[in-house]
Amino acid sequence: MKAPHENNGMSRRRFLTLAGGTAGAATLAAMGMAPGWGENRAAFDPDNMDQKTHQTDVLVIGGGMAGLFAAVKAHDAGARVVVLSKGRLGASGQTPFAKGIFAFDAREAGMSLDAFVAEVSRSALGTNNPVYTRQMAEHSAARVAELRDWGFFDSPLCNKAFSRPMEARGIPLIERVMVTHLIEHEGRIAGAAGFTLDDGHLIQVSAKSVVLCTGAGGFKPNGFPICDLTHDGTVMAYRIGAKVTGKEWNDGHPGQAQNPAACFDGWHGMFERKPDVTGVDVRHDLGVELNYVAYTKGAPLPPGPPDRLLGRLDGGPSRPRGFDRPHGPPPPGGGWLTGGPIHRPPLPGADGGAGGGPGGDKGPPGMRGAPVGGSSAGMAIHKSEGLVPINDRCESNIPGLYAAGDALGSYMAGAIYTQIGSSLAGSAVQGAVAGEAAAGYSRGVPMPSVPADKLAQVENEMLAPLRREAGYGPAWVTQTLQGVMIPNFVLYIKKESMLNAALAYIEELRDHHLPMLCAGDLHELRLAHETANMILSAEMKLRASLMRKESRCSHFRIDYPEMDDANWQAWINIHQGADGQMRLEKQPFDRWPA
Amino acid sequence: MRSDTDRCRLIAAASMLLLPPLVLLTRGDYPGRSLLKETLSMLTLGAFFLLFGQFLLGRGARFAPEGIRFGRLLNLHKIIGYSVVSLLLVHPFLIVLPRAFEGGVSPGDALMQILTTLDSLGVVLGMVSWVLMLVIGATSLLRARLGLDYRTWRLLHALLSVLLVVVASWHAIELGRHTDAAVALLVVMLACAAVLVVIRQAVYDYSNPLSQTRGARP
Amino acid sequence: MAISSIDGCIGCGTCVQSCPTDVIRMDPRTGKAFIQYVADCQICHLCRMYCPVDAISITPDKSIPVVVSWG
């Protein structure tokens, strides 16, 4: 076994000296940053890794809100559970930054459950799955009550509260594991495999069922804390035949021109707040509006909410009647700061001028000013992208494979932000539903036994980037991908020619660069797999965007600016054909997949 | 009048000790933090460096300014000793205190994390120092009540103090946020000086039996 | 440059665990955390908020490697 990691022998002092002084390729190489193409001198020996195997009924992948509830509820339903997480429990993905959680209370809302579901559906222009909308609202209060018991609302940090129910139940949790493969055998799920980031063990888990709680993802954008989310779950599942949906929708969060990469500062200290509970407040938060105005008028944008600007422009994204105040006056109880599907950051200048954002005083001077787009590039609307559910139990088309939260394309909220705080609540609710369903499923099936040659193939694919003697560094390929996908004229303001142009680039990365990704250590090995996942996700986003020849909710085609109900009362599902090609198909809004 | 002059001289002598670390700290390249955190750091550092001065204000002092009565010297030794020990005993709590005013891990959880990081040499050294300080402080305060006779106590006090200065210096060098090479060198030099003062006194006491019956009683 | 320094580390490893993007690692020689992959820092401050001794300093600017044609 090797030492926990290969330290390149650089002290902080030396590091600072180098970084401050002699910049350039030599420095970057010494710091372990991937030089792009070139010789790969692996500092980690892939042929000398220990393997650890586990067996369990339910394997939960992901340690955020959905993963927590999936694990807890599967355990409580009598299943043996193992949790693998890329980061730390409650400290990775989007959960640490989600500060509002929705709890439906008919009496307090003065609104029945039916009325709530109808109101969400009206705002979502039919894109939501009302079964999941209802499920989220119905169970939200119970999940919030459990979270309260565990101390979730007592700290801005989730790890302690999340650890409480896990430790009480003795659920095994393996953190800092990069899962690279879902394993399918004889037409059903059989487990997963990955490697640990610190000590470089191979981890292989045989499981009767798997719950993907791997969150959404993006293109490691600057300005949104999702750089660890690269659609790993979606792409792993796609590769073993699962159907994926929702790739044409866009999260349109803006960032700030000054220090756009500083997520913490851009959110004005919101990360340091304790979470709280939100009530019914159905809206139609359309992130593309700002991007449309910026695209049409150029930057910088004049201060003020984008709806005011939109009135002066022809065309552009439209809203359903009654939801025409995108960033209106703050609702009682805090406005922007309590609001947002994952507690969205205030728009710079949203309330009447630079620096006027609530809580803005916590940001250093210069953090505000003109908004810029693409801060969450590559991410769709919460709960709209991910595995296609075949029923209301979060089950995918692969027997035994479940998904919950942002890894499940449940369309709980539709293809647009409709209810403040429902994203976090939905993850909790769906995690619980999926956990119980997976536990039930695993009672009826034997433990799968995967042939050794299949496992050897998985291991080979997993470690290939370490073994390549030359190739492309994942950081460079990611940068190239970002350069293609993040500009506002590709995914935000879409048109046929640009989508095709971008697709040509992405196909090049897929066919030529992805097979040549190399890694010098375990960190880079993780980056190599993340990069490969982002490339496939980019292809899905472009193909789905090309296919949907209309504009609806957060998908805006400047060449098809109108909503087309005759042809597009449908979601787009993507799967891998027998020939390995990406196949796209429609699924009508009111039906489960065939 | 005379006592006032004494006091001034003593305070001047004591502040001489704080001068080098303060110069180093203001010249160092440390990331800026909140006023509360900086204040707590400076207080803690000041207390730590005054600890070395205690060796010069004790019986081993041969550096005291001319004309200062030994009794006054010991008085100052006691005042500084009790204040510095009190401050350093709450040092672990002061580290986590600012967390009460900001988002993040709570002070209690932070303290638990620190106290359970037992594979860290620096943390263990800190714990040993803390216990040593507590024992030094308690035995000084309660010498009579504990029934310790003066000479035994004096020996104990000297031994524990030497132990403390070594362990605490090691702790500060190992973990100190402000410990760069210059500060570390200063700490090592001061610690050596302190140990030398005690050794010198011990040698003097051994070779001069008369001194064992004399000396100021605290 | 994103996460910029770790001063006064006690070596508990909490920051290594808490970093979503795997920027920080433990140095086996010193037993302390050090910044190994600064280019991947997403400036989310989780490491700082979880650190029990508040040892981590972070600046709002991003360290971005130089762009080259292929290497």
PDB file of all heavy atoms in Angstrom, chain A residues 5 12 37 88 159 175-176 197 227 264 272 521 523 526, chain C residues 7 17-18 20 22 25-26 37 40 42-43 48 50 70:
ATOM      1  N   HIS A   5      -0.943  10.031   0.397  1.00  0.00           N
ATOM      2  CA  HIS A   5      -0.904  10.771  -0.851  1.00  0.00           C
ATOM      3  C   HIS A   5       0.528  11.155  -1.147  1.00  0.00           C
ATOM      4  O   HIS A   5       1.397  11.096  -0.293  1.00  0.00           O
ATOM      5  CB  HIS A   5      -1.782  12.007  -0.790  1.00  0.00           C
ATOM      6  CG  HIS A   5      -1.147  13.112  -0.019  1.00  0.00           C
ATOM      7  ND1 HIS A   5      -1.092  13.105   1.342  1.00  0.00           N
ATOM      8  CD2 HIS A   5      -0.518  14.229  -0.428  1.00  0.00           C
ATOM      9  CE1 HIS A   5      -0.470  14.191   1.740  1.00  0.00           C
ATOM     10  NE2 HIS A   5      -0.110  14.891   0.715  1.00  0.00           N
ATOM     11  N   ARG A  12       4.223  25.665   2.488  1.00  0.00           N
ATOM     12  CA  ARG A  12       3.405  26.833   2.201  1.00  0.00           C
ATOM     13  C   ARG A  12       4.282  27.994   1.743  1.00  0.00           C
ATOM     14  O   ARG A  12       3.982  28.701   0.801  1.00  0.00           O
ATOM     15  CB  ARG A  12       2.624  27.229   3.456  1.00  0.00           C
ATOM     16  CG  ARG A  12       1.832  28.496   3.286  1.00  0.00           C
ATOM     17  CD  ARG A  12       0.935  28.712   4.465  1.00  0.00           C
ATOM     18  NE  ARG A  12       1.652  29.074   5.672  1.00  0.00           N
ATOM     19  CZ  ARG A  12       1.918  30.339   5.995  1.00  0.00           C
ATOM     20  NH1 ARG A  12       1.540  31.303   5.217  1.00  0.00           N
ATOM     21  NH2 ARG A  12       2.558  30.610   7.098  1.00  0.00           N
ATOM     22  N   TRP A  37      -1.642  18.750 -22.766  1.00  0.00           N
ATOM     23  CA  TRP A  37      -1.125  17.572 -23.413  1.00  0.00           C
ATOM     24  C   TRP A  37       0.311  17.368 -23.006  1.00  0.00           C
ATOM     25  O   TRP A  37       1.059  18.311 -22.825  1.00  0.00           O
ATOM     26  CB  TRP A  37      -1.206  17.721 -24.935  1.00  0.00           C
ATOM     27  CG  TRP A  37      -0.649  16.527 -25.628  1.00  0.00           C
ATOM     28  CD1 TRP A  37      -1.308  15.385 -25.924  1.00  0.00           C
ATOM     29  CD2 TRP A  37       0.689  16.344 -26.051  1.00  0.00           C
ATOM     30  NE1 TRP A  37      -0.465  14.489 -26.515  1.00  0.00           N
ATOM     31  CE2 TRP A  37       0.771  15.061 -26.607  1.00  0.00           C
ATOM     32  CE3 TRP A  37       1.849  17.123 -26.009  1.00  0.00           C
ATOM     33  CZ2 TRP A  37       1.955  14.534 -27.129  1.00  0.00           C
ATOM     34  CZ3 TRP A  37       3.028  16.601 -26.523  1.00  0.00           C
ATOM     35  CH2 TRP A  37       3.065  15.325 -27.077  1.00  0.00           C
ATOM     36  N   ARG A  88     -17.661  15.141   2.276  1.00  0.00           N
ATOM     37  CA  ARG A  88     -18.030  14.816   3.640  1.00  0.00           C
ATOM     38  C   ARG A  88     -19.543  14.892   3.788  1.00  0.00           C
ATOM     39  O   ARG A  88     -20.199  15.684   3.104  1.00  0.00           O
ATOM     40  CB  ARG A  88     -17.378  15.846   4.568  1.00  0.00           C
ATOM     41  CG  ARG A  88     -17.453  15.516   6.032  1.00  0.00           C
ATOM     42  CD  ARG A  88     -16.888  16.680   6.839  1.00  0.00           C
ATOM     43  NE  ARG A  88     -16.675  16.294   8.224  1.00  0.00           N
ATOM     44  CZ  ARG A  88     -16.520  17.169   9.212  1.00  0.00           C
ATOM     45  NH1 ARG A  88     -16.553  18.465   8.955  1.00  0.00           N
ATOM     46  NH2 ARG A  88     -16.333  16.757  10.446  1.00  0.00           N
ATOM     47  N   ASN A 159     -22.903  19.017   8.965  1.00  0.00           N
ATOM     48  CA  ASN A 159     -22.282  17.724   9.247  1.00  0.00           C
ATOM     49  C   ASN A 159     -22.715  17.109  10.577  1.00  0.00           C
ATOM     50  O   ASN A 159     -23.014  15.927  10.664  1.00  0.00           O
ATOM     51  CB  ASN A 159     -20.751  17.853   9.202  1.00  0.00           C
ATOM     52  CG  ASN A 159     -20.069  16.538   9.481  1.00  0.00           C
ATOM     53  OD1 ASN A 159     -19.609  16.287  10.586  1.00  0.00           O
ATOM     54  ND2 ASN A 159     -20.041  15.657   8.494  1.00  0.00           N
ATOM     55  N   GLU A 175     -16.507   8.285   3.336  1.00  0.00           N
ATOM     56  CA  GLU A 175     -16.432   9.616   2.744  1.00  0.00           C
ATOM     57  C   GLU A 175     -15.211   9.727   1.839  1.00  0.00           C
ATOM     58  O   GLU A 175     -14.268   8.954   1.944  1.00  0.00           O
ATOM     59  CB  GLU A 175     -16.363  10.681   3.842  1.00  0.00           C
ATOM     60  CG  GLU A 175     -17.668  10.804   4.607  1.00  0.00           C
ATOM     61  CD  GLU A 175     -17.543  11.636   5.867  1.00  0.00           C
ATOM     62  OE1 GLU A 175     -16.479  11.588   6.497  1.00  0.00           O
ATOM     63  OE2 GLU A 175     -18.522  12.336   6.214  1.00  0.00           O
ATOM     64  N   ARG A 176     -15.264  10.741   0.996  1.00  0.00           N
ATOM     65  CA  ARG A 176     -14.177  11.012   0.045  1.00  0.00           C
ATOM     66  C   ARG A 176     -13.881   9.802  -0.848  1.00  0.00           C
ATOM     67  O   ARG A 176     -12.745   9.347  -0.973  1.00  0.00           O
ATOM     68  CB  ARG A 176     -12.927  11.518   0.780  1.00  0.00           C
ATOM     69  CG  ARG A 176     -13.134  12.948   1.227  1.00  0.00           C
ATOM     70  CD  ARG A 176     -12.073  13.492   2.124  1.00  0.00           C
ATOM     71  NE  ARG A 176     -10.742  13.557   1.526  1.00  0.00           N
ATOM     72  CZ  ARG A 176     -10.377  14.427   0.593  1.00  0.00           C
ATOM     73  NH1 ARG A 176     -11.236  15.301   0.135  1.00  0.00           N
ATOM     74  NH2 ARG A 176      -9.140  14.431   0.126  1.00  0.00           N
ATOM     75  N   LEU A 197     -10.085   9.024  -2.216  1.00  0.00           N
ATOM     76  CA  LEU A 197      -9.227  10.128  -2.639  1.00  0.00           C
ATOM     77  C   LEU A 197      -7.975  10.244  -1.778  1.00  0.00           C
ATOM     78  O   LEU A 197      -6.952  10.733  -2.234  1.00  0.00           O
ATOM     79  CB  LEU A 197     -10.006  11.444  -2.573  1.00  0.00           C
ATOM     80  CG  LEU A 197     -11.114  11.582  -3.617  1.00  0.00           C
ATOM     81  CD1 LEU A 197     -12.038  12.726  -3.270  1.00  0.00           C
ATOM     82  CD2 LEU A 197     -10.510  11.772  -4.993  1.00  0.00           C
ATOM     83  N   CYS A 227     -18.761  23.164  -7.924  1.00  0.00           N
ATOM     84  CA  CYS A 227     -17.610  22.674  -8.680  1.00  0.00           C
ATOM     85  C   CYS A 227     -17.294  21.211  -8.383  1.00  0.00           C
ATOM     86  O   CYS A 227     -16.446  20.614  -9.036  1.00  0.00           O
ATOM     87  CB  CYS A 227     -16.394  23.562  -8.431  1.00  0.00           C
ATOM     88  SG  CYS A 227     -16.607  25.197  -9.153  1.00  0.00           S
ATOM     89  N   PHE A 264     -18.655  32.562  -1.930  1.00  0.00           N
ATOM     90  CA  PHE A 264     -18.997  32.994  -0.572  1.00  0.00           C
ATOM     91  C   PHE A 264     -19.318  34.488  -0.552  1.00  0.00           C
ATOM     92  O   PHE A 264     -20.334  34.915  -0.026  1.00  0.00           O
ATOM     93  CB  PHE A 264     -17.841  32.697   0.374  1.00  0.00           C
ATOM     94  CG  PHE A 264     -18.075  33.150   1.786  1.00  0.00           C
ATOM     95  CD1 PHE A 264     -18.726  32.329   2.681  1.00  0.00           C
ATOM     96  CD2 PHE A 264     -17.651  34.402   2.204  1.00  0.00           C
ATOM     97  CE1 PHE A 264     -18.958  32.743   3.986  1.00  0.00           C
ATOM     98  CE2 PHE A 264     -17.875  34.826   3.506  1.00  0.00           C
ATOM     99  CZ  PHE A 264     -18.534  33.997   4.388  1.00  0.00           C
ATOM    100  N   GLU A 272     -23.092  31.528   5.903  1.00  0.00           N
ATOM    101  CA  GLU A 272     -22.846  31.470   7.344  1.00  0.00           C
ATOM    102  C   GLU A 272     -24.139  31.454   8.150  1.00  0.00           C
ATOM    103  O   GLU A 272     -24.115  31.455   9.368  1.00  0.00           O
ATOM    104  CB  GLU A 272     -21.989  32.662   7.775  1.00  0.00           C
ATOM    105  CG  GLU A 272     -20.561  32.576   7.278  1.00  0.00           C
ATOM    106  CD  GLU A 272     -19.658  33.617   7.909  1.00  0.00           C
ATOM    107  OE1 GLU A 272     -20.126  34.763   8.084  1.00  0.00           O
ATOM    108  OE2 GLU A 272     -18.501  33.291   8.217  1.00  0.00           O
ATOM    109  N   ASP A 521      -2.170  11.868 -10.235  1.00  0.00           N
ATOM    110  CA  ASP A 521      -2.422  11.426  -8.862  1.00  0.00           C
ATOM    111  C   ASP A 521      -3.935  11.231  -8.688  1.00  0.00           C
ATOM    112  O   ASP A 521      -4.696  11.350  -9.649  1.00  0.00           O
ATOM    113  CB  ASP A 521      -1.860  12.424  -7.840  1.00  0.00           C
ATOM    114  CG  ASP A 521      -2.452  13.825  -8.000  1.00  0.00           C
ATOM    115  OD1 ASP A 521      -3.520  13.951  -8.628  1.00  0.00           O
ATOM    116  OD2 ASP A 521      -1.849  14.785  -7.497  1.00  0.00           O
ATOM    117  N   HIS A 523      -6.162  12.993  -7.113  1.00  0.00           N
ATOM    118  CA  HIS A 523      -6.950  14.199  -7.328  1.00  0.00           C
ATOM    119  C   HIS A 523      -7.240  14.365  -8.820  1.00  0.00           C
ATOM    120  O   HIS A 523      -8.363  14.636  -9.227  1.00  0.00           O
ATOM    121  CB  HIS A 523      -6.184  15.405  -6.783  1.00  0.00           C
ATOM    122  CG  HIS A 523      -6.875  16.712  -7.005  1.00  0.00           C
ATOM    123  ND1 HIS A 523      -7.878  17.166  -6.180  1.00  0.00           N
ATOM    124  CD2 HIS A 523      -6.721  17.656  -7.967  1.00  0.00           C
ATOM    125  CE1 HIS A 523      -8.314  18.342  -6.624  1.00  0.00           C
ATOM    126  NE2 HIS A 523      -7.624  18.670  -7.707  1.00  0.00           N
ATOM    127  N   ARG A 526      -9.706  11.877 -10.145  1.00  0.00           N
ATOM    128  CA  ARG A 526     -11.074  12.348  -9.929  1.00  0.00           C
ATOM    129  C   ARG A 526     -11.449  13.370 -10.998  1.00  0.00           C
ATOM    130  O   ARG A 526     -12.509  13.282 -11.620  1.00  0.00           O
ATOM    131  CB  ARG A 526     -11.178  12.966  -8.524  1.00  0.00           C
ATOM    132  CG  ARG A 526     -12.402  13.819  -8.317  1.00  0.00           C
ATOM    133  CD  ARG A 526     -12.419  14.456  -6.927  1.00  0.00           C
ATOM    134  NE  ARG A 526     -13.409  15.542  -6.894  1.00  0.00           N
ATOM    135  CZ  ARG A 526     -13.874  16.077  -5.772  1.00  0.00           C
ATOM    136  NH1 ARG A 526     -13.468  15.637  -4.612  1.00  0.00           N
ATOM    137  NH2 ARG A 526     -14.745  17.057  -5.817  1.00  0.00           N
TER     138      ARG A 526
ATOM    139  N   ASP C   7      -2.737  29.003   8.867  1.00  0.00           N
ATOM    140  CA  ASP C   7      -1.823  29.366   9.947  1.00  0.00           C
ATOM    141  C   ASP C   7      -2.369  28.866  11.276  1.00  0.00           C
ATOM    142  O   ASP C   7      -3.496  29.175  11.634  1.00  0.00           O
ATOM    143  CB  ASP C   7      -1.668  30.895  10.028  1.00  0.00           C
ATOM    144  CG  ASP C   7      -1.213  31.493   8.719  1.00  0.00           C
ATOM    145  OD1 ASP C   7      -0.028  31.339   8.405  1.00  0.00           O
ATOM    146  OD2 ASP C   7      -2.055  32.084   8.014  1.00  0.00           O
ATOM    147  N   GLN C  17     -11.409  16.984   4.857  1.00  0.00           N
ATOM    148  CA  GLN C  17     -12.703  16.319   4.669  1.00  0.00           C
ATOM    149  C   GLN C  17     -13.756  17.278   4.123  1.00  0.00           C
ATOM    150  O   GLN C  17     -14.579  16.908   3.288  1.00  0.00           O
ATOM    151  CB  GLN C  17     -13.226  15.846   6.021  1.00  0.00           C
ATOM    152  CG  GLN C  17     -12.673  14.547   6.534  1.00  0.00           C
ATOM    153  CD  GLN C  17     -13.395  14.189   7.811  1.00  0.00           C
ATOM    154  OE1 GLN C  17     -13.330  14.925   8.793  1.00  0.00           O
ATOM    155  NE2 GLN C  17     -14.100  13.072   7.790  1.00  0.00           N
ATOM    156  N   SER C  18     -13.756  18.493   4.644  1.00  0.00           N
ATOM    157  CA  SER C  18     -14.867  19.402   4.369  1.00  0.00           C
ATOM    158  C   SER C  18     -14.769  20.116   3.033  1.00  0.00           C
ATOM    159  O   SER C  18     -15.729  20.756   2.618  1.00  0.00           O
ATOM    160  CB  SER C  18     -14.973  20.459   5.478  1.00  0.00           C
ATOM    161  OG  SER C  18     -15.096  19.824   6.723  1.00  0.00           O
ATOM    162  N   PRO C  20     -15.226  20.529  -0.626  1.00  0.00           N
ATOM    163  CA  PRO C  20     -15.945  19.778  -1.652  1.00  0.00           C
ATOM    164  C   PRO C  20     -15.079  19.480  -2.877  1.00  0.00           C
ATOM    165  O   PRO C  20     -15.342  18.521  -3.590  1.00  0.00           O
ATOM    166  CB  PRO C  20     -17.096  20.707  -2.045  1.00  0.00           C
ATOM    167  CG  PRO C  20     -17.226  21.682  -0.930  1.00  0.00           C
ATOM    168  CD  PRO C  20     -15.847  21.833  -0.363  1.00  0.00           C
ATOM    169  N   ASP C  22     -11.634  19.068  -2.921  1.00  0.00           N
ATOM    170  CA  ASP C  22     -10.383  18.347  -2.682  1.00  0.00           C
ATOM    171  C   ASP C  22      -9.146  19.223  -2.894  1.00  0.00           C
ATOM    172  O   ASP C  22      -8.187  18.810  -3.540  1.00  0.00           O
ATOM    173  CB  ASP C  22     -10.328  17.108  -3.609  1.00  0.00           C
ATOM    174  CG  ASP C  22      -9.184  16.158  -3.247  1.00  0.00           C
ATOM    175  OD1 ASP C  22      -8.817  16.108  -2.071  1.00  0.00           O
ATOM    176  OD2 ASP C  22      -8.677  15.473  -4.159  1.00  0.00           O
ATOM    177  N   ARG C  25      -4.859  18.979   1.465  1.00  0.00           N
ATOM    178  CA  ARG C  25      -4.399  17.635   1.841  1.00  0.00           C
ATOM    179  C   ARG C  25      -3.555  17.722   3.111  1.00  0.00           C
ATOM    180  O   ARG C  25      -3.060  18.782   3.470  1.00  0.00           O
ATOM    181  CB  ARG C  25      -3.583  17.017   0.707  1.00  0.00           C
ATOM    182  CG  ARG C  25      -4.396  16.641  -0.534  1.00  0.00           C
ATOM    183  CD  ARG C  25      -5.477  15.650  -0.189  1.00  0.00           C
ATOM    184  NE  ARG C  25      -6.248  15.197  -1.334  1.00  0.00           N
ATOM    185  CZ  ARG C  25      -5.989  14.066  -2.006  1.00  0.00           C
ATOM    186  NH1 ARG C  25      -4.987  13.303  -1.658  1.00  0.00           N
ATOM    187  NH2 ARG C  25      -6.760  13.700  -3.016  1.00  0.00           N
ATOM    188  N   MET C  26      -3.377  16.563   3.768  1.00  0.00           N
ATOM    189  CA  MET C  26      -2.505  16.528   4.932  1.00  0.00           C
ATOM    190  C   MET C  26      -1.077  16.252   4.471  1.00  0.00           C
ATOM    191  O   MET C  26      -0.850  15.413   3.597  1.00  0.00           O
ATOM    192  CB  MET C  26      -2.931  15.410   5.893  1.00  0.00           C
ATOM    193  CG  MET C  26      -4.275  15.626   6.545  1.00  0.00           C
ATOM    194  SD  MET C  26      -4.365  17.125   7.532  1.00  0.00           S
ATOM    195  CE  MET C  26      -3.470  16.588   8.985  1.00  0.00           C
ATOM    196  N   TYR C  37      -4.113  21.892  -4.160  1.00  0.00           N
ATOM    197  CA  TYR C  37      -4.695  22.067  -5.497  1.00  0.00           C
ATOM    198  C   TYR C  37      -5.485  23.382  -5.539  1.00  0.00           C
ATOM    199  O   TYR C  37      -6.710  23.376  -5.696  1.00  0.00           O
ATOM    200  CB  TYR C  37      -5.596  20.888  -5.840  1.00  0.00           C
ATOM    201  CG  TYR C  37      -4.917  19.545  -5.734  1.00  0.00           C
ATOM    202  CD1 TYR C  37      -5.172  18.694  -4.665  1.00  0.00           C
ATOM    203  CD2 TYR C  37      -4.015  19.132  -6.714  1.00  0.00           C
ATOM    204  CE1 TYR C  37      -4.546  17.456  -4.580  1.00  0.00           C
ATOM    205  CE2 TYR C  37      -3.385  17.894  -6.627  1.00  0.00           C
ATOM    206  CZ  TYR C  37      -3.658  17.064  -5.558  1.00  0.00           C
ATOM    207  OH  TYR C  37      -3.039  15.842  -5.463  1.00  0.00           O
ATOM    208  N   ASP C  40      -8.415  24.492  -7.899  1.00  0.00           N
ATOM    209  CA  ASP C  40      -9.761  23.922  -7.816  1.00  0.00           C
ATOM    210  C   ASP C  40     -10.604  24.530  -6.698  1.00  0.00           C
ATOM    211  O   ASP C  40     -11.731  24.103  -6.471  1.00  0.00           O
ATOM    212  CB  ASP C  40      -9.664  22.399  -7.628  1.00  0.00           C
ATOM    213  CG  ASP C  40      -9.148  21.713  -8.888  1.00  0.00           C
ATOM    214  OD1 ASP C  40      -9.680  22.016  -9.962  1.00  0.00           O
ATOM    215  OD2 ASP C  40      -8.218  20.898  -8.797  1.00  0.00           O
ATOM    216  N   GLN C  42     -13.226  26.605  -4.905  1.00  0.00           N
ATOM    217  CA  GLN C  42     -14.414  27.305  -5.395  1.00  0.00           C
ATOM    218  C   GLN C  42     -14.825  28.450  -4.453  1.00  0.00           C
ATOM    219  O   GLN C  42     -15.914  28.993  -4.557  1.00  0.00           O
ATOM    220  CB  GLN C  42     -15.576  26.342  -5.624  1.00  0.00           C
ATOM    221  CG  GLN C  42     -16.068  25.641  -4.368  1.00  0.00           C
ATOM    222  CD  GLN C  42     -17.317  24.795  -4.599  1.00  0.00           C
ATOM    223  OE1 GLN C  42     -17.881  24.789  -5.682  1.00  0.00           O
ATOM    224  NE2 GLN C  42     -17.770  24.082  -3.573  1.00  0.00           N
ATOM    225  N   ILE C  43     -13.928  28.776  -3.525  1.00  0.00           N
ATOM    226  CA  ILE C  43     -14.123  29.935  -2.650  1.00  0.00           C
ATOM    227  C   ILE C  43     -15.464  29.866  -1.928  1.00  0.00           C
ATOM    228  O   ILE C  43     -16.213  30.831  -1.861  1.00  0.00           O
ATOM    229  CB  ILE C  43     -13.965  31.261  -3.437  1.00  0.00           C
ATOM    230  CG1 ILE C  43     -12.796  31.145  -4.438  1.00  0.00           C
ATOM    231  CG2 ILE C  43     -13.729  32.443  -2.504  1.00  0.00           C
ATOM    232  CD1 ILE C  43     -12.485  32.404  -5.216  1.00  0.00           C
ATOM    233  N   ARG C  48     -12.953  26.919   6.026  1.00  0.00           N
ATOM    234  CA  ARG C  48     -12.751  27.934   7.063  1.00  0.00           C
ATOM    235  C   ARG C  48     -13.825  27.819   8.141  1.00  0.00           C
ATOM    236  O   ARG C  48     -13.543  27.927   9.331  1.00  0.00           O
ATOM    237  CB  ARG C  48     -12.778  29.332   6.430  1.00  0.00           C
ATOM    238  CG  ARG C  48     -12.612  30.463   7.434  1.00  0.00           C
ATOM    239  CD  ARG C  48     -12.754  31.839   6.794  1.00  0.00           C
ATOM    240  NE  ARG C  48     -14.082  32.122   6.260  1.00  0.00           N
ATOM    241  CZ  ARG C  48     -15.153  32.399   7.004  1.00  0.00           C
ATOM    242  NH1 ARG C  48     -15.057  32.415   8.309  1.00  0.00           N
ATOM    243  NH2 ARG C  48     -16.319  32.641   6.432  1.00  0.00           N
ATOM    244  N   TYR C  50     -15.534  25.221   9.016  1.00  0.00           N
ATOM    245  CA  TYR C  50     -15.420  23.990   9.802  1.00  0.00           C
ATOM    246  C   TYR C  50     -14.151  23.951  10.655  1.00  0.00           C
ATOM    247  O   TYR C  50     -14.073  23.200  11.619  1.00  0.00           O
ATOM    248  CB  TYR C  50     -15.430  22.766   8.874  1.00  0.00           C
ATOM    249  CG  TYR C  50     -16.812  22.214   8.570  1.00  0.00           C
ATOM    250  CD1 TYR C  50     -17.428  22.411   7.345  1.00  0.00           C
ATOM    251  CD2 TYR C  50     -17.519  21.480   9.538  1.00  0.00           C
ATOM    252  CE1 TYR C  50     -18.699  21.896   7.069  1.00  0.00           C
ATOM    253  CE2 TYR C  50     -18.777  20.962   9.275  1.00  0.00           C
ATOM    254  CZ  TYR C  50     -19.357  21.164   8.039  1.00  0.00           C
ATOM    255  OH  TYR C  50     -20.606  20.649   7.790  1.00  0.00           O
ATOM    256  N   TRP C  70      -2.224  23.887 -26.108  1.00  0.00           N
ATOM    257  CA  TRP C  70      -2.603  22.509 -25.817  1.00  0.00           C
ATOM    258  C   TRP C  70      -1.911  21.958 -24.590  1.00  0.00           C
ATOM    259  O   TRP C  70      -2.095  20.833 -24.218  1.00  0.00           O
ATOM    260  CB  TRP C  70      -2.374  21.589 -27.009  1.00  0.00           C
ATOM    261  CG  TRP C  70      -0.918  21.321 -27.301  1.00  0.00           C
ATOM    262  CD1 TRP C  70      -0.032  20.672 -26.511  1.00  0.00           C
ATOM    263  CD2 TRP C  70      -0.205  21.684 -28.478  1.00  0.00           C
ATOM    264  NE1 TRP C  70       1.184  20.614 -27.103  1.00  0.00           N
ATOM    265  CE2 TRP C  70       1.108  21.220 -28.320  1.00  0.00           C
ATOM    266  CE3 TRP C  70      -0.567  22.356 -29.652  1.00  0.00           C
ATOM    267  CZ2 TRP C  70       2.086  21.419 -29.293  1.00  0.00           C
ATOM    268  CZ3 TRP C  70       0.404  22.532 -30.618  1.00  0.00           C
ATOM    269  CH2 TRP C  70       1.711  22.075 -30.436  1.00  0.00           C
TER     270      TRP C  70
END
